[in-house]
Amino acid sequence: MGNFFPRWTNWLPLKLAIAVVFIVIGISVATPYYFTPKYTRVGYQPTQPVPFSHKIHAGQLGMDCRFCHSFVDRSSHANVPVNQVCFNCHGAGKGQIKLNSPKLEPVRKAAETGEPIHWVKIHKTPDFVYFNHSAHLNRGVSCVSCHGKINEMPVVYHQEPQSMGWCLDCHRSPEDKLRPLSEVTNLNWKPSDLNREAFYKGLLDKQIKPDEIAATILGAPSDVVPTDAAGLSALAKKIYGDEVTQREVGLQLKKHWQVQPPETCAACHR
Ligand code: HEC
Ligand code: HEC
Ligand code: HEC
Ligand code: HEC
Ligand code: HEC
């Protein structure tokens, strides 16, 4: 009995190996393509039915985001405002601001017909992704981390990729983004705005032990630690310098609020 297999089968392992090499190259080229901004919707800026400007309303007029997006910190979904919110200022007999402006024509029409204004949706995660606004806002993540400086945009555009890699980047190191809850809708906030001593006093007032605060500052437990806000503040100054830094604030909040963003598939794909 000779060889069962024809001669060309000797080449089979080599062919398979070549095929595998091609597949691997294919995947490694495709992956960054898939997950970089080009593929996602960065820059998407549709024309809205009313030339509504966040730069005027949230920037110059200083209106809080929650005045219009009133459910954003209470529900999974961020709502866009109903017409009534606009009429408070632009309606007849009320605010009367720019009452006859042609730009507000669709708003007046909506008032007459009772039809909602059909705003074009900009940010949208696919249906197979679970996302919850309030779960983020109530843990100290600001709108600015996920939407950019909306308060400076005359017309809203998609600034962040909002891809899976982008979600996970923050979930792996939330200390780079966390801030006090009172500042989540203050898009201009900087860590250096904080009064260092007041920040540490705030932590102590929440019954957090000084040695745990000091260990977070130093990156390791220590035997001799300050027991009051002034002492902790002096210690932090030695480590972080004169101004309060994001890392300083973020590490304390992450540790003492026990912030642990999930990285398991089932958390976001339910
Ligand atoms: C006076 C009401 C008002 C205020 C205040 C306001 N918004 Fe809006 N927002 C709107 C309206 C109306 C739209 C829909 C039209 C548009 O996209 O411009 C919108 C759209 C958005 C969108 C895009 C929604 C989508 O389709 O993806 C984001 C993000 C957003 N707002 C964030 C903010 C943030 C952050 C703040 C606070 C800094 C804020 N808004 C303050 C009225 C408001
Ligand atoms: C708290 C009051 C207030 C609310 C609420 C408000 N606006 Fe305004 N809006 C203003 C002011 C003030 C201006 C600036 C007027 C000026 O330029 O003198 C303005 C300007 C505008 C303009 C530009 C008008 C023009 O002719 O230049 C548009 C369009 C507009 N708003 C739409 C809206 C829409 C849509 C809503 C609801 C989502 C809304 N506004 C809610 C106060 C408000
Ligand atoms: C952790 C990231 C993150 C933060 C923080 C965040 N957003 Fe969003 N936002 C998203 C994502 C993701 C979507 C798309 C959600 C979807 O499709 O359900 C979105 C969608 C929206 C929409 C469109 C809702 C719709 O259905 O039309 C509005 C409005 C909005 N966000 C406003 C805000 C405001 C205002 C804040 C701050 C008070 C904020 N967001 C904070 C990630 C974030
Ligand atoms: C800028 C930082 C940041 C970004 C960006 C971000 N997250 Fe989160 N995420 C957090 C933090 C902080 C928590 C709170 C963890 C905790 O409560 O311990 C969280 C919690 C969650 C949770 C668990 C809470 C819940 O609602 O069940 C889910 C799910 C989640 N994020 C999904 C997403 C998705 C999907 C995206 C991208 C579209 C995203 N996140 C983007 C910071 C972020
Ligand atoms: C923090 C939230 C989060 C976690 C954790 C997460 N994903 Fe995703 N995933 C997303 C988001 C958001 C998208 C949609 C990306 C987009 O639209 O660009 C996505 C998309 C996907 C896609 C579709 C690919 C694509 O580019 O459209 C697959 C497959 C996937 N995820 C698998 C997984 C697996 C497997 C895990 C666990 C190892 C996982 N995900 C963990 C948020 C998450």
Side-chain angles (χ1 to χ4, degrees):
M1 296 285 285
N3 205 334
F4 260 119
F5 299 97
R7 276 200 86 137
W8 60 265
T9 51
N10 292 348
W11 290 96
L12 202 59
L14 183 61
K15 283 182 184 166
L16 277 177
I18 292 172
V20 166
V21 167
F22 270 100
I23 291 170
V24 169
I25 292 175
I27 291 175
S28 47
V29 171
T31 307
Y33 175 74
Y34 238 74
F35 289 104
T36 45
K38 238 184 292 167
Y39 175 76
T40 56
R41 301 202 282 172
V42 171
Y44 177 56
Q45 187 178 38
T47 306
Q48 297 291 349
V50 181
F52 173 80
S53 165
H54 280 79
K55 190 177 177 197
I56 293 178
H57 294 85
Q60 288 157 22
L61 298 174
M63 293 171 67
D64 191 274
C65 315
R66 286 164 295 194
F67 185 89
C68 292
H69 303 288
S70 45
F71 304 133
V72 74
D73 57 354
R74 282 181 277 153
S75 101
S76 64
H77 189 76
N79 60 306
V80 287
V82 294
N83 304 341
Q84 201 51 50
V85 175
C86 315
F87 301 151
N88 282 333
C89 292
H90 295 294
K94 292 198 181 158
Q96 308 228 1
I97 296 167
K98 294 267 178 182
L99 195 56
N100 300 313
S101 164
K103 290 185 188 165
L104 282 157
E105 175 58 25
V107 182
R108 286 192 293 274
K109 206 158 176 193
E112 281 163 23
T113 60
E115 278 271 307
I117 300 169
H118 295 288
W119 302 108
V120 183
K121 203 168 158 67
I122 303 164
H123 300 83
K124 177 94 186 80
T125 49
D127 290 341
F128 57 83
V129 175
Y130 171 80
F131 178 77
N132 183 325
H133 268 93
S134 65
H136 288 85
L137 295 170
N138 294 322
R139 299 297 263 160
V141 182
S142 168
C143 325
V144 76
S145 297
C146 302
H147 294 295
K149 281 214 156 185
I150 296 275
N151 58 331
E152 291 175 4
M153 296 182 192
V155 181
V156 178
Y157 60 92
H158 209 303
Q159 188 179 308
E160 296 293 328
Q162 299 200 344
S163 61
M164 178 161 136
W166 174 85
C167 307
L168 284 168
D169 267 353
C170 180
H171 278 208
R172 288 189 188 117
S173 42
E175 61 274 17
D176 296 343
K177 305 289 180 189
L178 297 178
R179 57 173 67 184
L181 293 182
S182 57
E183 308 295 342
V184 288
T185 59
N186 177 1
L187 274 45
N188 294 326
W189 182 83
K190 307 186 292 308
S192 58
D193 292 346
L194 279 180
N195 176 308
R196 187 171 259 152
E197 203 171 316
F199 174 65
Y200 287 106
K201 184 165 183 310
L203 293 178
L204 291 170
D205 288 349
K206 289 259 151 55
Q207 313 302 327
I208 297 162
K209 296 201 181 70
D211 54 329
E212 286 178 5
I213 299 174
T216 307
I217 295 172
L218 294 165
S222 159
D223 291 339
V224 260
V225 294
T227 50
D228 62 354
L232 289 166
S233 175
L235 182 65
K237 189 174 168 177
K238 265 191 235 151
I239 304 288
Y240 295 106
D242 283 342
E243 291 200 330
V244 180
T245 68
Q246 175 59 48
R247 194 166 170 77
E248 175 181 359
V249 177
L251 285 174
Q252 293 290 347
L253 299 182
K254 180 182 169 186
K255 174 87 190 348
H256 302 302
W257 291 350
Q258 284 149 12
V259 174
Q260 282 174 323
E263 290 173 40
T264 54
C265 317
C268 302
H269 303 294
R270 299 185 174 179

